[in-house]
Amino acid sequence: MRLSNRQSAELALHRSSTELDPESVSEVRDVLALLGILRGADDELLSMTLDAHRRPMNPYANT
């Protein structure tokens, strides 16, 4: 965790978290552009990102 934290970049959010709640692939693209990441990502990746946002899950949970 510490290594990941040190390797990460801080994202300056200029909007509230409610304004960063995308409803569509185009809104995901807008949010990522605002953050300056994943420029040029295709619609399939953005759709997967939106699905993960809508249905968050803990990959380490015992299910």
Side-chain angles (χ1 to χ4, degrees):
M1 291 288 276
R2 290 181 185 159
L3 179 59
S4 293
N5 188 325
R6 281 188 243 133
Q7 291 176 335
S8 64
E10 186 173 333
L11 299 174
L13 300 178
H14 303 289
R15 295 183 179 181
S16 72
S17 60
T18 57
E19 291 179 290
L20 296 175
D21 191 15
E23 297 286 329
S24 66
V25 168
S26 64
E27 288 181 10
V28 172
R29 188 179 308 282
D30 293 343
V31 169
L32 295 176
L34 173 72
L35 297 173
I37 57 176
L38 288 178
R39 290 188 176 101
D42 63 5
D43 285 353
E44 182 178 353
L45 176 63
L46 297 180
S47 179
M48 290 171 33
T49 303
L50 184 59
D51 288 341
H53 171 72
R54 287 179 177 156
R55 290 184 291 282
M57 62 179 235
N58 181 350
Y60 304 106
N62 293 327
T63 56

